């Protein structure tokens, strides 16, 4: 309580002026709102913009934006020199929510699907995974999945969501075979329940990472056919999550691209340019730009990837995930560092990075890569 109060009442600080570096620097005001939440106000008082810092990735993005350099010392004083302090507090907060046993908070699409009693499990597992405690996170989620009552009307949705989390955790470590194994084992118990379509779509995406595009294409076509069938949807009953056609589109387009069917791939990608961004009151939906990025990275298209990142940076005035993913020391599973180097040098992106991107010092590399051991 005393720590939270002290941080909440921390004085506003704008940092000293910089003279040693030639960079675009803007007025910034840092404030520690709580042990796990800080803000950076950017720009003159009449036109200020807000940068929220609620996660490790948020902190890294702020530290990677050269224009926010005035806020760096105070941010590090709050988060810790290598962000370990913020990491540990985020895990502690998530554990407190987990102990309470229920929350309406849902920070991810998977958490938004499950009931409030299960959301604390996702919150803590995500915090542990982001903090490099992979085994503990996986054990927590597996135990919750095994304990889920099979006579519950929500069993299939919870089983599918927790299985998908486990597969994504392996995927994020670059262990694609393990991710595929989890999905292969998780689909049969669902029988004819249509919630399995979500796992089958994820399986098609993992097949692409295993460089099995023909199988991925057949799998995603089968998923979409079942999804489009009368009475179908990703969730049980008649619900169809908006924008699902975009998920099918990027997998199909990448599979076709890997098979050399470039014209068909371009046609398949058309749903990734929606006239209106899909929204849903119940579930968190991936923004289309994220799916375009997945397609570009999957297709190993340097120009397309550079354009996507340029668009992300243009749409986000300060900080943003693009600045962490484009770090020279970032490890993206399944993506070669040499490819990302070409992306950073592409003429559509390089001028923007010259103004904005700060290569993160070595002290932040463990946090950048999720404190992974490998």
């Amino acid at each position: 309580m005393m720590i939270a109060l002290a941080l909440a009442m921390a004085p506003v600080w704008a940092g000293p002026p910089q003279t040693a570096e030639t960079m675009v620097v803007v007025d910034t005001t840092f404030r520690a709102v709580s042990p796990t939440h800080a803000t950076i106000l950017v720009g003159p008082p009449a036109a200020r913009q807000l940068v929220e810092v609620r996660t490790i990735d948020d902190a890294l993005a702020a530290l990677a934006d050269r224009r926010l350099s005035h806020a760096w010392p105070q941010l590090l004083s709050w988060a810790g020199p290598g962000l370990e302090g913020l990491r540990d507090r985020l895990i502690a907060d998530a554990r407190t929510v987990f102990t309470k046993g229920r929350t309406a908070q849902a920070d991810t699409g998977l958490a938004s699907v499950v009931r409030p009693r299960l959301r604390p499990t996702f919150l803590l597992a995500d915090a542990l995974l982001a903090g490099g405690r992979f085994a503990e996170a996986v054990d927590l989620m597996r135990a919750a999945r095994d304990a889920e009552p099979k006579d519950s009307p929500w069993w299939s949705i919870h089983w599918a969501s927790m299985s998908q989390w486990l597969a994504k955790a392996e995927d994020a470590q670059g262990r694609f075979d393990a991710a595929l194994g989890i999905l292969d084992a998780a689909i049969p118990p669902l029988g004819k329940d249509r919630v399995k379509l979500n796992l089958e779509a994820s399986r098609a995406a993992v097949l692409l990472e295993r460089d099995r595009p023909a199988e991925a294409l057949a799998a995603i076509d089968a998923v979409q056919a079942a999804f489009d069938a009368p009475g179908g949807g990703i969730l049980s009953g008649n619900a169809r999550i908006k924008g699902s056609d975009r998920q099918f589109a990027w997998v199909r387009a990448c599979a076709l691209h890997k098979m050399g069917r470039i014209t068909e791939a371009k046609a398949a990608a058309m749903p990734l340019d929606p006239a209106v961004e899909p929204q849903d009151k119940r579930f968190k939906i991936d923004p289309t730009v994220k799916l375009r990025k997945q397609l570009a990275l999957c297709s190993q298209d340097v120009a397309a990837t550079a354009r996507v990142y340029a668009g992300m940076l243009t749409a986000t005035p300060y900080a943003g995930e693009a600045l962490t993913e484009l770090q020279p020391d970032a490890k993206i599973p399944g993506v070669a560092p040499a490819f990302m180097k070409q992306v950073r040098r592409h003429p559509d992106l390089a001028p923007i990075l010259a103004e904005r991107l700060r290569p993160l010092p070595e002290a932040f590399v463990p946090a950048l890569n999720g404190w992974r051991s490998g």
Side-chain angles (χ1 to χ4, degrees), residues 29-344:
T29 301
F30 178 89
R31 186 179 183 88
V33 180
S34 78
T36 57
H37 177 206
T39 61
I40 304 173
L41 288 173
V42 187
R48 286 195 165 179
Q49 299 182 53
L50 180 68
V51 175
E52 298 268 13
V53 181
R54 294 181 180 272
T55 67
I56 296 296
D57 285 344
D58 291 341
L60 288 166
L63 291 165
D65 193 328
R66 303 172 74 231
R67 300 165 305 165
L68 302 183
S69 60
H70 279 183
W72 295 343
Q74 190 74 344
L75 173 57
L76 292 176
S77 177
W78 171 74
L83 306 187
E84 296 90 350
L86 177 58
R87 174 198 64 191
D88 295 344
R89 294 196 299 269
L90 286 167
I91 292 174
D93 269 16
R95 200 177 297 282
T96 297
V97 175
F98 179 77
T99 300
K100 291 179 179 178
R102 188 178 188 87
T103 183
Q105 182 178 349
D107 296 337
T108 65
L110 286 177
S112 72
V113 171
V114 303
R115 302 299 289 167
R117 67 172 175 80
L118 193 55
R119 290 178 183 179
T121 299
F122 281 80
L123 188 68
L124 179 54
D126 286 338
L128 290 168
L129 190 63
R133 293 161 66 168
F134 174 80
E136 188 177 350
V138 167
D139 287 347
L140 174 71
M141 190 62 74
R142 283 192 183 278
R145 191 180 67 163
D146 292 344
E148 185 67 14
K150 290 193 175 182
D151 58 353
S152 164
W154 280 81
W155 176 82
S156 64
I157 292 173
H158 287 173
W159 171 269
S161 298
M162 288 187 277
S163 297
Q164 185 145 351
W165 188 96
L166 290 165
K168 284 190 172 185
E170 296 286 359
D171 191 87
Q173 309 296 308
R175 302 206 283 243
F176 305 135
D177 284 334
L180 192 61
I182 289 170
L183 294 169
D184 282 340
I187 292 170
L190 290 167
K192 295 182 179 181
D193 194 311
R194 300 179 72 85
V195 74
K196 71 179 181 178
L197 298 181
N198 212 10
L199 297 183
E200 291 175 344
S202 295
R203 182 178 181 276
V206 178
L207 286 170
L208 289 174
E209 293 175 311
R210 297 297 297 119
D211 201 24
R212 293 158 63 178
E215 293 175 70
L217 180 61
I220 204 64
D221 283 347
V223 171
Q224 183 152 22
F227 181 84
D228 291 338
I234 290 238
L235 293 181
S236 298
N238 201 35
R240 288 184 175 86
I241 296 178
K242 297 175 182 178
S244 295
D245 59 324
R246 304 166 309 142
Q247 297 279 0
F248 305 142
W250 85 259
V251 174
R252 180 178 294 108
C254 181
L256 289 166
H257 190 281
K258 285 178 174 288
M259 296 167 68
R261 295 159 61 177
I262 306 302
T263 301
E264 293 174 79
K266 290 180 179 178
M270 288 181 64
L272 297 178
D273 290 305
V276 178
E277 191 75 11
Q279 302 287 334
D280 195 289
K281 294 180 180 180
R282 297 169 299 167
F283 310 118
K284 288 184 176 291
I285 298 176
D286 286 335
T288 302
V289 67
K290 180 176 180 178
L291 306 183
R292 284 199 294 265
K293 180 184 69 178
Q294 288 178 321
L295 171 58
L297 289 170
C298 178
S299 302
Q300 294 290 279
D301 188 324
V302 172
T305 306
R307 287 193 294 270
V308 170
Y309 277 121
M312 292 172 67
L313 290 167
T314 301
T316 305
Y318 296 99
E321 65 186 59
L323 291 179
T324 58
E325 294 176 5
L326 289 165
Q327 287 292 318
D329 288 322
K331 296 179 181 178
I332 303 176
V335 180
F339 172 81
M340 294 304 293
K341 185 175 183 179
Q342 293 180 59
V343 170
R344 289 192 296 271

